Amino acid sequence: MSQMLALTIVLAILYIGDIVATRTKAWIPSVFVCAVLFLVGYWTFFPKDIVSIAGIGPVVATMLMYLLITNMGTLLSLKELKNQWKAIVISLAGIVGIIAFLFTIGAMIFDLKTMIVAVPPLVGGVVAALVMSEGASAAGLEDLAVFAIVIYVIQGFAGYPITSIVLKREAKRLLKEHQQGKLHAITQVQEEEEPAADQPKLFRKLPAKYNTEYFKFFRIAFVGLLAYGTSTVLAPIVTVNALVLCLVFGVLASTIGFLEKQPLQKANGFGFAIMGLMLFIFDGLKQASPEMLMRIIVPLVVSIALAVIGMYIFSFIAGKILKVSPNLAFAVSLTALYGFPADYILTNEVVKSSTTDEKEREMLLGRMLPPMLVGGFISVTITSVILAGIFVNWL
């Protein structure tokens, strides 16, 4: 298959996902549609490396992750990050729910080792899944090695539609309160604190003609480099994921005025970056063959179901205590099933489908996007890796 044919096919799938999401007003999320189409493609005529053939290999995907997560950090000020402590608590509560249900009910139905392998991938990202898969292989547990990868690949099928449903309910509630004059757009406060400008504070005196797209890309990459360098320096003492530091450094860079808000969008690179990263995520579906799924379908379905129930109950309790609506609390905990950029895309799809009024969209994004982003990072990027490092020693 030629590169351009591969690229055309995968882009067509992304577009079909957008069409379905638009036509159904996000009740069927684009990421869910794309995942199904990629899975069908891999089971029929797709070459296993169609995404790499199209031009999005692991090295490119890693670069895009650094750019996107640093860019994402600029969406959150230090004040906002402090304000999201409730989202952090709810995300952790959802993780406790997963562990509690899988280590009790799940262990009784299957066995403890299966649940040990299941928890880190269910809580988060590909790193956790790979750690558990390699650990299971080393322990001679080949089926569980495959199980770790497949549960990571498939869990989004549960997370995407449920998240879309609860976010739409939350958007409906917020819009009703907003129309009654009880809410305001959170970003309005930020605009008053920092006047809108095309250039960040540190470069206000720089002539606008020199603030080119390349200069914006350079500054984003430089912040990503600082995050990577800090992670490397800390490695002998403590392991801190460089991508986690990209988020933190993005917040700091925006706060001090080194980066403007959403510099990747202003450099006209955001759409391409999201495209590349989503393709790389769907590339993981090539591991899930029909035969593989048949062998592990029962523990797969039961584990995901128990995880969702555990997240719902524990996030509901945490939300009640913290006075966060049940729908938003559940949505925040569900980010463990997919993380970034799906949490960003799902939230934006729901907001766009809920209203055409720009001020209302601004209000919804201000209320829903920050907790969703923070929740996803707490579970997928941080906690899942920590749990994998602990649980792999129990196999």
Side-chain angles (χ1 to χ4, degrees), residues 244-259:
V244 176
L245 292 177
C246 279
L247 180 69
V248 176
F249 280 38
V251 173
L252 295 174
S254 176
T255 301
I256 67 175
F258 184 77
L259 289 177

Side-chain angles (χ1 to χ4, degrees), residues 63-381:
M63 175 205 45
L64 296 178
M65 274 290 260
Y66 273 90
L67 296 178
L68 280 165
I69 295 177
T70 302
N71 180 77
M72 189 172 69
T74 67
L75 293 170
L76 302 169
S77 68
L78 289 176
K79 182 179 179 181
E80 288 171 323
L81 210 52
K82 291 177 183 177
N83 290 339
Q84 294 309 318
W85 67 270
K86 290 183 179 181
I88 295 173
V89 173
I90 290 170
S91 179
L92 293 175
I95 292 169
V96 172
I98 294 175
I99 296 172
F101 271 66
L102 263 63
F103 275 22
T104 53
I105 300 173
M108 287 189 290
I109 298 174
F110 304 107
D111 62 88
L112 186 58
K113 285 190 175 180
T114 299
M115 296 301 100
I116 289 172
V117 170
V119 168
L122 275 170
V123 171
V126 65
V127 175
L130 290 173
V131 169
M132 298 311 297
S133 179
E134 292 172 2
S137 292
L141 306 169
E142 293 302 326
D143 277 355
L144 291 185
V146 174
F147 181 61
I149 297 296
V150 175
I151 204 167
Y152 160 72
V153 169
I154 299 299
Q155 62 188 349
F157 282 71
Y160 300 150
I162 297 175
T163 301
S164 184
I165 290 170
V166 296
L167 281 180
K168 285 180 77 70
R169 290 176 179 172
E170 177 67 6
K172 185 177 181 181
R173 182 189 71 83
L174 289 172
L175 284 172
K176 184 178 179 180
E177 291 191 11
H178 178 67
Q179 289 160 3
Q180 294 172 348
K182 297 178 181 179
L183 296 177
H184 63 275
I186 295 175
T187 50
Q188 289 175 355
V189 176
Q190 297 166 357
E191 289 169 0
E192 291 172 5
E193 293 173 353
E194 182 178 335
D198 292 332
Q199 296 178 195
K201 286 182 291 186
L202 294 182
F203 301 99
R204 291 275 168 82
K205 295 183 179 180
L206 181 73
K209 63 182 179 180
Y210 294 119
N211 189 23
T212 66
E213 283 82 359
Y214 290 143
F215 186 50
K216 293 183 180 72
F217 277 120
F218 163 73
R219 285 185 280 117
I220 301 170
F222 182 74
V223 174
L225 174 62
L226 291 178
Y228 172 79
T230 302
S231 175
T232 303
V233 170
L234 293 175
I237 305 169
V238 60
T239 300
V240 182
N241 193 301
L243 296 175
V244 176
L245 292 177
C246 279
L247 180 69
V248 176
F249 280 38
V251 173
L252 295 174
S254 176
T255 301
I256 67 175
F258 184 77
L259 289 177
E260 52 268 77
K261 296 285 184 181
Q262 304 186 61
L264 202 54
Q265 282 90 329
K266 293 174 181 177
N268 298 313
F270 184 77
F272 176 80
I274 284 288
M275 177 206 74
L277 188 56
M278 290 307 299
L279 288 178
F280 186 70
I281 290 172
F282 294 132
D283 182 57
L285 290 170
K286 67 186 178 185
Q287 304 293 340
S289 67
E291 297 78 18
M292 181 190 300
L293 289 181
M294 289 304 296
R295 288 201 306 269
I296 58 177
I297 189 66
V298 174
L300 179 70
V301 172
V302 172
S303 296
I304 293 175
L306 288 175
V308 171
I309 294 170
M311 283 189 287
Y312 175 74
I313 293 174
F314 278 70
S315 66
F316 180 85
I317 295 171
K320 277 290 184 183
I321 295 172
L322 300 174
K323 296 182 179 179
V324 175
S325 75
N327 286 320
L328 183 59
F330 190 27
V332 168
S333 67
L334 283 168
T335 57
L337 297 180
Y338 42 81
F340 181 81
D343 50 7
Y344 184 95
I345 293 171
L346 286 168
T347 307
N348 274 277
E349 282 183 351
V350 168
V351 168
K352 288 179 181 178
S353 68
S354 298
T355 178
T356 56
D357 185 274
E358 285 302 321
K359 289 185 177 180
E360 289 181 343
R361 286 181 174 180
E362 182 181 288
M363 180 276 298
L364 291 177
L365 282 175
R367 296 280 173 176
M368 297 196 302
L369 187 57
M372 289 292 288
L373 295 178
V374 171
F377 263 87
I378 290 298
S379 57
V380 174
T381 312

